[in-house]
Amino acid sequence: LAMLPDCVSWDEARTGRRQAGVFTGVWTAGETLGLALGPGIYGLVLQLSGYVSSDTGTAAAQSGTARLGILLGFTVIPALLVAAPLILLRYYDLPTAEADADQPVVAGTTTHEPPGRGVTTS
């Protein structure tokens, strides 16, 4: 969430349009997808490990494989799912305002002002 305002500000400086709603919508969709997939992945791990559910109110006896599935579903698998996006985050690098200042200003294409407000030349 800390990167969201940075992306909105950077995009506004680049395009001249404030599109916070679009960025927030994409973020929310991704977050919702992740929250929906998590229980499904955990359920699949339980099924593959042989977990036995109980409908009598007393705990069902679990095999060693099922106990391992429960353990992996709460520890290793979430850690892998969190670590995988970190590889992509290594490439997250928004240009700084100082780096953009070296670029020439052309009418309608400036990275710091909305189109139509740049310096014009005859």
Side-chain angles (χ1 to χ4, degrees), residues 1 4 20-37:
L1 282 175
L4 185 60
V22 173
F23 283 98
T24 305
V26 169
W27 170 264
T28 303
E31 185 177 40
T32 303
L33 178 65
L35 291 172
L37 287 178

Side-chain angles (χ1 to χ4, degrees), residues 22-107:
V22 173
F23 283 98
T24 305
V26 169
W27 170 264
T28 303
E31 185 177 40
T32 303
L33 178 65
L35 291 172
L37 287 178
I41 292 171
Y42 186 62
L44 181 64
V45 168
L46 291 179
Q47 181 182 6
L48 293 174
S49 66
Y51 177 82
V52 178
S53 64
S54 173
D55 57 2
T56 63
T58 59
Q62 302 296 330
S63 67
T65 307
R67 288 193 301 266
L68 179 62
I70 294 168
L71 179 65
L72 292 176
F74 270 103
T75 57
V76 174
I77 293 172
L80 290 174
L81 292 173
V82 169
L86 292 177
I87 295 168
L88 296 175
L89 288 175
R90 289 187 60 179
Y91 302 104
Y92 174 80
D93 184 29
L94 293 179
T96 62
E98 293 81 24
D100 288 341
D102 295 336
Q103 300 298 318
V105 178
V106 179

Side-chain angles (χ1 to χ4, degrees), residues 9 18 38 50:
S9 296
R18 186 134 178 105

